[in-house]
Amino acid sequence: MDINDNEILEVVNKKGFKKIFQFDNKQTIQLQGGHICPEDVLNSEEGSTLTASDGLKYYIFRPSIHDYIMYGIKRHTQIVYPKEAGYIVLKLDVRSGKVVGEAGTGSGSLTLIFSELVSEKGKVVTFEKNLDFLNNAKKNIEKFSKLQNITFINEDFGNSNYKNFFDAFFLDLKEPWFYFEKVYIALKNGGNFGLIVPTTNQINQSINELEASNFLVDEIVEIFHRKYKINPNRLRPEDIMTGHTGYLIFARKIK
Amino acid sequence: MDINDNEILEVVNKKGFKKIFQFDNKQTIQLQGGHICPEDVLNSEEGSTLTASDGLKYYIFRPSIHDYIMYGIKRHTQIVYPKEAGYIVLKLDVRSGKVVGEAGTGSGSLTLIFSELVSEKGKVVTFEKNLDFLNNAKKNIEKFSKLQNITFINEDFGNSNYKNFFDAFFLDLKEPWFYFEKVYIALKNGGNFGLIVPTTNQINQSINELEASNFLVDEIVEIFHRKYKINPNRLRPEDIMTGHTGYLIFARKIK
Amino acid sequence: MDINDNEILEVVNKKGFKKIFQFDNKQTIQLQGGHICPEDVLNSEEGSTLTASDGLKYYIFRPSIHDYIMYGIKRHTQIVYPKEAGYIVLKLDVRSGKVVGEAGTGSGSLTLIFSELVSEKGKVVTFEKNLDFLNNAKKNIEKFSKLQNITFINEDFGNSNYKNFFDAFFLDLKEPWFYFEKVYIALKNGGNFGLIVPTTNQINQSINELEASNFLVDEIVEIFHRKYKINPNRLRPEDIMTGHTGYLIFARKIK
Amino acid sequence: MDINDNEILEVVNKKGFKKIFQFDNKQTIQLQGGHICPEDVLNSEEGSTLTASDGLKYYIFRPSIHDYIMYGIKRHTQIVYPKEAGYIVLKLDVRSGKVVGEAGTGSGSLTLIFSELVSEKGKVVTFEKNLDFLNNAKKNIEKFSKLQNITFINEDFGNSNYKNFFDAFFLDLKEPWFYFEKVYIALKNGGNFGLIVPTTNQINQSINELEASNFLVDEIVEIFHRKYKINPNRLRPEDIMTGHTGYLIFARKIK
């Protein structure tokens, strides 16, 4: 396997076990009951079968951005999950060349996705007033991506002075309505705006304030993922599912 | 508004009405009860208020990729909806620079998303044996995007000869299992594979055949979107929701 | 078929068609494209195949209480659906011998269920200030049931004077909080209380007022039914489902 | 509180704690961090506040049939939950005077509900070949109910000889299709039949066999309950929900 220094890798087995780690060619990879030697990784290719010291079989991959976000990043905050992030990307029209803003950065999961999808032709500006969160997010992102298109700003977005700058903006903050006017100013005409809130009370207040701030509210939506057990002879959903993460709200800047 | 020839635009009102159309500076835009003159559009900016001939107010935008797919493309087939497409993108690790394959093209909704997200550094190859579908998909895509990174192939994917070529592949075909060996060969080692099927019987057969074809099955999942009425004083979900589109299956190529 | 005068019957076919009607031995039963003669019904048994005038096959039954409520009652109001009603019954401990109150009666769907389940040993008191609604509900109930255990009261429940009388009470009114004190007084110690509201704003207000009225709030819940197409070779959920009817709230009277 | 010997009681607090126990006037009620003395219970009424030895406040009730089934019965098997049971009752038309059959008895949760709702005018016959299960179910039911309308049969339903006897029948067995012919014979003409299965494979086989056994399949449905946190200032669903219990199938006997 042609591995870069400190590259992020993933080992998986057929029982659904997944581990994501930063490869170190001097360090053993500890698993549930056994371990894998770094030489075995160096001699493998993506998708190769590796046999751990306890005889169990594992497969090695470069993780997808989905798996890296779910299992690989260090979380200092609640993250925006891929089930929401994928939809946010399409609603906010995040694609190659776009300029996207975000507050707060949190653990950087959405920042990373935005960065990869706007590509080097685009730009991401992310605001986080908590320096520890910001540094953690930076590390999370640098391990996975070589793109240099993110501006990290260690400040409350309320103190920023962007004007007609962003194609799209996303807010994941406790009292997002305090930032709606700033978002309005920072967005280009017609710009796409998204936010996530965990409670219905926050939806109520957000909608009222969005309308007062001259946004056209487009959609309020929640997203469910329901996974099935991987057993074709006894096909059925998993017993437990995530019942709630947050409500997504989308709007556009109007004049 | 600085509009390109034949550019795709969207008019929206506060009742949830949306219309997407290809702008023609000689043609009136017909709405529900009135119309808008092309000069009014030319004199506007994104997000501007336009007053239709019947006095109703509309807002004008360039549509997001979400809205274009939902309301702008001409459908010759059932499409993959954004609620699934966003998640597919993250699971298949579709991002700048990736090489992604797809069969069939259908109406091109997923093709367009893949194209925009791999950017000009990446590549999309899409197979569709029905020439009418393929031509329709091309038109749908060209209206929205200037990227030249898609290869359209008017052939059954079963006849193709790609080897170790794709980072990711997506199948949306009636009997996908007939193509699993071809996908296996066409994917790079460790490559990401996704498919969508409408019935549980197809899940059963797909899982059995994926395991027989040396894929590691990663996830079987269905996704629900539940929209709320945009009324903060009487906040409640919409009465009717989409109960089913399809089941998503994800796997990785192993050796 | 041993039929009572004016008995309620149901004809069904294998495509999912259902029709509920009051039998009249002089009247033809009109179906989609044909009709069935009353003599054919008189000569049949429950479950018999009847061939309509257009050659299509139908089956005849006495409708279940579920089907009668869904397809047989005349609706002057939004009804409480069986998906909620079944759960309400168990949460409110409605069973043989219980004394149950309800306001408003609406079209009588829940009234009928309560009546059947408390049996002749129990009692139902239902309040409805709209006389047309009340008369319609009475007719709906009389057609299906011979039990004489319901007291219909054509008055706003706010004007009633019941004290320590009900084992359980259910409210389906627009501003239920105006009635919480009356319900508190009308319930026996420890009595079960349930209500249904369509909006989250009403949940907010109801919870606040329930706690202020000395109720112990037990549960806030919404219920989804997801139906599957009856096709075992292509098993999949129906494309469209009910996304929302109402939120259920349950509480108990404490001291 | 006017308590019967060995009566089932429930203590609850405002944090959602619930404990159901058989009252013994010589025995202390152990709670999370403290206990309640039996004299305090004897001196209370339903809904009274009891202060435990650690100063925490609890409320005392007779449990609803819902709570008894969820928290009070001893489970030797997976039970049919109230979210399904309530709907089953309405679909199978279980109400005062009806004759209802069931196999297997399991832990008796559905048996108890059927018994209470057919009342003393009706009858329940339940089959369970595992004697330990049957004895446990009997005890679970006797603690809650004084009705004498259940016949417990310690035999596989396949060995029974009921003919045209039941208004409704419910099967909760691993391979229900082996019993469809017996159910057909045991039901009255037009009788209501329900079953629960955990996998889609079992739906497939059940539908095929039901149609072959001369049943009219009426509905395949799954039911979700989504609970909300009881916090009106931060109203939101619980983070985790039950993703799957089983699929319900309903049919009627035709000729």
Side-chain angles (χ1 to χ4, degrees):
Chain A
M1 204 162 169
D2 200 18
I3 298 180
N4 300 311
D5 273 359
N6 297 320
E7 194 175 0
I8 293 292
L9 298 176
E10 178 178 29
V11 284
V12 176
N13 72 15
K14 290 195 173 177
K15 308 276 186 194
F17 171 87
K18 288 185 176 184
K19 175 174 179 160
I20 288 178
F21 61 99
Q22 196 163 16
F23 183 66
D24 174 338
N25 63 20
K26 294 195 182 62
Q27 211 170 337
T28 276
I29 298 114
Q30 294 299 331
L31 300 170
Q32 297 156 304
H35 63 267
I36 291 172
C37 299
E39 308 84 63
D40 289 352
V41 174
L42 288 167
N43 292 327
S44 70
E45 293 179 272
E46 274 205 84
S48 289
T49 309
L50 298 179
T51 307
S53 59
D54 59 359
L56 294 181
K57 289 188 173 175
Y58 291 86
Y59 303 91
I60 188 142
F61 302 106
R62 288 184 172 86
S64 67
I65 196 167
H66 172 278
D67 278 12
Y68 181 64
I69 283 167
M70 286 301 285
Y71 313 113
I73 68 173
K74 198 168 167 184
R75 299 185 189 180
H76 282 195
T77 60
Q78 170 84 343
I79 67 164
V80 175
Y81 287 96
K83 74 186 178 80
E84 274 90 23
Y87 191 65
I88 290 167
V89 159
L90 299 178
K91 287 292 291 187
L92 296 189
D93 208 22
V94 174
R95 48 197 172 91
S96 185
K98 296 284 186 172
V99 179
V100 181
E102 176 200 35
T105 313
S107 301
S109 73
L110 203 52
T111 327
L112 173 59
I113 291 172
F114 287 163
S115 165
E116 287 290 332
L117 299 187
V118 302
S119 84
E120 71 243 296
K121 292 188 68 182
K123 202 174 289 200
V124 177
V125 182
T126 185
F127 296 84
E128 175 58 65
K129 62 182 181 183
N130 181 314
L131 186 57
D132 286 344
F133 291 178
L134 196 67
N135 286 334
N136 175 59
K138 268 186 200 170
K139 271 188 215 154
N140 281 333
I141 292 165
E142 285 163 5
K143 282 182 193 166
F144 188 83
S145 165
K146 288 183 193 127
L147 282 167
Q148 299 294 326
N149 60 2
I150 307 175
T151 305
F152 294 90
I153 299 183
N154 180 212
E155 202 166 12
D156 189 285
F157 173 59
N159 300 326
S160 76
N161 286 303
Y162 283 85
K163 276 187 194 160
N164 291 303
F165 185 78
F166 295 107
D167 294 302
F169 207 97
F170 192 80
L171 279 187
D172 180 7
L173 291 169
K174 266 202 176 175
E175 301 181 297
W177 40 85
F178 289 137
Y179 301 87
F180 288 174
E181 281 188 37
K182 279 279 172 182
V183 172
Y184 187 88
I185 294 165
L187 279 172
K188 292 180 192 165
N189 291 332
N192 283 290
F193 182 23
L195 57 148
I196 188 166
V197 293
T199 73
T200 66
N201 314 64
Q202 290 167 307
I203 301 177
N204 296 140
Q205 189 155 359
S206 293
I207 300 303
N208 280 325
E209 304 275 357
L210 282 168
E211 289 173 348
S213 303
N214 218 9
F215 282 100
L216 180 71
V217 180
D218 177 40
E219 190 175 75
I220 309 167
V221 66
E222 52 182 343
I223 299 177
F224 303 87
H225 272 216
R226 191 179 189 211
K227 295 187 184 181
Y228 284 70
K229 296 186 185 182
I230 302 171
N231 182 344
N233 297 320
R234 292 187 47 71
L235 184 67
R236 64 197 187 285
E238 291 187 358
D239 304 328
I240 296 295
M241 67 182 275
T242 298
H244 185 62
T245 48
Y247 301 100
L248 296 174
I249 300 172
F250 297 101
R252 291 197 79 159
K253 175 179 174 175
I254 57 178
K255 305 202 307 173
Chain B
M1 205 163 169
D2 200 18
I3 299 180
N4 300 310
D5 273 359
N6 297 320
E7 194 175 1
I8 293 292
L9 297 177
E10 180 177 29
V11 284
V12 176
N13 72 15
K14 290 196 172 175
K15 307 276 186 194
F17 171 86
K18 289 184 175 184
K19 175 174 180 159
I20 288 178
F21 61 100
Q22 196 162 16
F23 183 66
D24 175 339
N25 63 20
K26 294 196 182 60
Q27 211 170 337
T28 277
I29 299 115
Q30 294 298 333
L31 300 170
Q32 297 156 304
H35 64 267
I36 291 172
C37 299
E39 307 84 63
D40 291 351
V41 174
L42 288 167
N43 291 329
S44 70
E45 293 178 273
E46 274 204 84
S48 291
T49 308
L50 298 179
T51 306
S53 59
D54 58 0
L56 294 181
K57 290 189 172 175
Y58 291 86
Y59 304 91
I60 188 142
F61 302 106
R62 289 186 171 85
S64 66
I65 195 167
H66 172 277
D67 278 12
Y68 181 63
I69 283 168
M70 286 301 285
Y71 314 111
I73 69 174
K74 199 169 165 184
R75 299 184 190 181
H76 281 195
T77 60
Q78 169 84 343
I79 67 164
V80 175
Y81 286 95
K83 74 185 178 82
E84 275 88 23
Y87 191 65
I88 291 167
V89 159
L90 300 178
K91 287 292 290 188
L92 295 190
D93 207 22
V94 173
R95 48 197 171 93
S96 183
K98 296 284 186 173
V99 179
V100 181
E102 176 200 35
T105 313
S107 302
S109 73
L110 203 52
T111 327
L112 173 59
I113 292 172
F114 286 163
S115 165
E116 287 290 332
L117 298 187
V118 303
S119 83
E120 71 240 299
K121 292 188 68 182
K123 201 174 288 200
V124 176
V125 182
T126 186
F127 296 84
E128 175 58 66
K129 63 182 182 182
N130 181 314
L131 185 58
D132 287 343
F133 291 178
L134 196 66
N135 287 333
N136 175 58
K138 266 188 203 170
K139 271 188 217 154
N140 281 333
I141 292 165
E142 284 163 5
K143 282 183 194 167
F144 188 82
S145 166
K146 289 182 191 130
L147 282 167
Q148 298 294 328
N149 61 2
I150 307 174
T151 306
F152 293 90
I153 299 182
N154 180 215
E155 199 166 12
D156 188 285
F157 173 59
N159 298 326
S160 76
N161 286 303
Y162 283 86
K163 277 187 193 162
N164 292 303
F165 185 78
F166 295 107
D167 294 303
F169 207 96
F170 192 80
L171 280 186
D172 180 7
L173 291 170
K174 266 203 175 173
E175 300 180 298
W177 41 84
F178 290 136
Y179 301 86
F180 288 174
E181 281 188 36
K182 279 279 172 181
V183 172
Y184 187 88
I185 294 165
L187 279 172
K188 292 180 192 167
N189 291 331
N192 283 290
F193 182 23
L195 57 149
I196 188 165
V197 293
T199 73
T200 66
N201 314 64
Q202 290 167 306
I203 300 177
N204 296 141
Q205 189 156 357
S206 293
I207 301 302
N208 281 325
E209 303 275 358
L210 281 168
E211 289 173 349
S213 303
N214 218 9
F215 283 101
L216 181 71
V217 180
D218 177 41
E219 191 174 74
I220 308 167
V221 66
E222 53 182 342
I223 298 177
F224 303 87
H225 272 218
R226 192 182 190 211
K227 295 186 185 180
Y228 284 69
K229 296 186 184 180
I230 301 171
N231 182 345
N233 298 321
R234 293 188 45 72
L235 184 66
R236 63 197 188 285
E238 291 186 357
D239 304 328
I240 295 295
M241 66 181 275
T242 299
H244 185 61
T245 48
Y247 301 101
L248 296 174
I249 301 172
F250 297 101
R252 292 196 77 159
K253 174 180 176 175
I254 56 177
K255 307 204 306 175
Chain C
M1 206 162 170
D2 201 16
I3 298 180
N4 300 312
D5 271 0
N6 297 320
E7 194 174 3
I8 293 292
L9 298 177
E10 179 178 30
V11 283
V12 176
N13 72 14
K14 290 196 173 176
K15 308 276 186 195
F17 171 87
K18 289 185 176 181
K19 176 173 180 160
I20 288 179
F21 60 99
Q22 196 162 14
F23 183 67
D24 174 339
N25 62 20
K26 295 195 183 63
Q27 209 168 342
T28 277
I29 298 115
Q30 293 299 330
L31 301 170
Q32 297 156 305
H35 63 269
I36 291 173
C37 298
E39 308 83 63
D40 290 351
V41 174
L42 288 167
N43 292 328
S44 70
E45 293 179 90
E46 273 206 85
S48 290
T49 309
L50 299 178
T51 306
S53 59
D54 58 359
L56 293 181
K57 289 188 174 177
Y58 292 86
Y59 304 91
I60 188 143
F61 302 106
R62 289 186 172 85
S64 66
I65 196 167
H66 172 278
D67 277 13
Y68 181 64
I69 283 168
M70 287 300 285
Y71 314 112
I73 69 174
K74 198 167 168 187
R75 298 185 192 181
H76 282 195
T77 60
Q78 170 84 343
I79 66 163
V80 175
Y81 287 96
K83 75 184 177 82
E84 275 89 23
Y87 191 65
I88 290 167
V89 159
L90 300 179
K91 288 291 291 187
L92 295 190
D93 208 22
V94 173
R95 47 196 172 92
S96 183
K98 296 283 186 172
V99 179
V100 181
E102 177 200 35
T105 314
S107 301
S109 73
L110 204 52
T111 326
L112 173 58
I113 292 172
F114 287 164
S115 165
E116 287 290 332
L117 299 187
V118 302
S119 83
E120 71 242 293
K121 292 187 68 180
K123 201 173 290 199
V124 177
V125 181
T126 185
F127 296 85
E128 175 59 63
K129 63 181 180 183
N130 182 314
L131 185 58
D132 286 344
F133 291 178
L134 195 67
N135 286 334
N136 176 58
K138 266 188 203 171
K139 271 188 216 153
N140 281 333
I141 291 165
E142 284 164 6
K143 282 183 193 167
F144 189 82
S145 166
K146 289 184 193 126
L147 282 167
Q148 300 294 329
N149 60 3
I150 307 175
T151 307
F152 294 91
I153 300 183
N154 179 214
E155 200 166 12
D156 189 285
F157 172 59
N159 299 327
S160 76
N161 286 305
Y162 283 86
K163 276 188 193 161
N164 292 303
F165 185 78
F166 295 107
D167 293 302
F169 206 97
F170 192 80
L171 279 187
D172 180 7
L173 291 170
K174 265 202 175 173
E175 301 180 297
W177 41 85
F178 289 136
Y179 302 85
F180 289 175
E181 281 188 36
K182 279 279 174 181
V183 172
Y184 187 88
I185 294 166
L187 278 172
K188 292 180 192 165
N189 290 332
N192 283 291
F193 182 23
L195 56 148
I196 189 166
V197 293
T199 74
T200 66
N201 315 65
Q202 290 167 306
I203 301 177
N204 297 140
Q205 189 156 358
S206 293
I207 301 303
N208 280 325
E209 304 275 358
L210 282 169
E211 290 173 348
S213 303
N214 218 10
F215 282 101
L216 180 72
V217 180
D218 177 41
E219 191 174 72
I220 309 166
V221 66
E222 52 181 344
I223 299 177
F224 303 88
H225 272 216
R226 192 182 189 210
K227 295 187 184 180
Y228 284 69
K229 296 186 185 182
I230 301 171
N231 182 344
N233 298 320
R234 292 188 47 71
L235 184 66
R236 63 197 187 286
E238 291 186 358
D239 303 329
I240 296 295
M241 66 183 274
T242 299
H244 185 61
T245 47
Y247 301 100
L248 296 174
I249 300 173
F250 297 101
R252 292 196 78 158
K253 174 178 174 175
I254 56 177
K255 308 204 303 174
Chain D
M1 203 163 171
D2 200 19
I3 298 180
N4 301 311
D5 272 359
N6 296 321
E7 194 174 3
I8 293 291
L9 297 176
E10 178 177 29
V11 283
V12 176
N13 72 15
K14 290 196 172 177
K15 307 276 186 195
F17 171 86
K18 288 185 176 183
K19 177 175 178 158
I20 288 178
F21 60 97
Q22 196 163 13
F23 183 66
D24 175 340
N25 63 19
K26 294 195 181 63
Q27 209 170 340
T28 276
I29 299 114
Q30 293 299 331
L31 300 170
Q32 296 156 307
H35 64 268
I36 290 172
C37 298
E39 306 83 65
D40 289 352
V41 174
L42 287 167
N43 292 328
S44 69
E45 293 179 271
E46 273 206 86
S48 290
T49 309
L50 299 179
T51 306
S53 58
D54 58 0
L56 294 180
K57 290 188 172 174
Y58 291 86
Y59 303 91
I60 189 143
F61 302 106
R62 289 185 172 85
S64 67
I65 196 167
H66 172 278
D67 277 12
Y68 181 63
I69 283 168
M70 286 300 284
Y71 313 112
I73 68 173
K74 199 168 167 185
R75 298 185 191 181
H76 282 195
T77 60
Q78 171 84 345
I79 67 163
V80 175
Y81 286 97
K83 76 184 177 83
E84 274 89 22
Y87 191 64
I88 290 167
V89 159
L90 299 179
K91 288 291 291 187
L92 296 190
D93 207 21
V94 173
R95 47 197 172 92
S96 184
K98 295 284 187 173
V99 180
V100 181
E102 177 200 35
T105 314
S107 301
S109 73
L110 203 52
T111 326
L112 173 59
I113 292 171
F114 287 163
S115 165
E116 288 290 333
L117 299 186
V118 301
S119 83
E120 71 242 294
K121 292 188 67 181
K123 201 174 289 200
V124 177
V125 181
T126 185
F127 295 83
E128 175 59 64
K129 63 182 181 183
N130 182 314
L131 185 57
D132 286 344
F133 290 178
L134 195 67
N135 286 334
N136 176 59
K138 267 188 203 172
K139 271 187 215 156
N140 281 332
I141 292 165
E142 285 164 4
K143 282 183 193 168
F144 188 82
S145 166
K146 287 183 193 131
L147 282 168
Q148 299 293 329
N149 60 2
I150 308 175
T151 307
F152 293 90
I153 300 183
N154 180 214
E155 199 166 13
D156 189 285
F157 172 61
N159 299 326
S160 75
N161 286 304
Y162 282 86
K163 276 187 194 162
N164 292 304
F165 186 79
F166 295 107
D167 294 303
F169 207 96
F170 192 80
L171 279 187
D172 181 6
L173 291 169
K174 266 201 173 173
E175 300 180 298
W177 40 84
F178 289 137
Y179 301 86
F180 288 174
E181 281 187 37
K182 280 279 173 183
V183 172
Y184 187 88
I185 294 166
L187 279 171
K188 292 179 191 164
N189 290 332
N192 283 291
F193 182 22
L195 56 148
I196 188 166
V197 293
T199 74
T200 66
N201 315 65
Q202 289 167 306
I203 300 177
N204 296 139
Q205 189 155 358
S206 293
I207 301 303
N208 280 324
E209 304 275 358
L210 281 168
E211 289 174 348
S213 303
N214 218 8
F215 283 101
L216 180 72
V217 180
D218 176 42
E219 190 175 74
I220 309 167
V221 66
E222 51 182 345
I223 299 177
F224 303 87
H225 272 217
R226 191 182 190 208
K227 295 186 183 180
Y228 284 70
K229 296 186 185 183
I230 301 171
N231 182 345
N233 298 320
R234 291 187 48 69
L235 184 66
R236 64 197 188 285
E238 291 188 357
D239 304 328
I240 296 296
M241 67 182 273
T242 299
H244 185 61
T245 47
Y247 300 100
L248 295 174
I249 300 172
F250 297 101
R252 290 196 79 157
K253 175 178 175 175
I254 56 177
K255 307 203 305 174

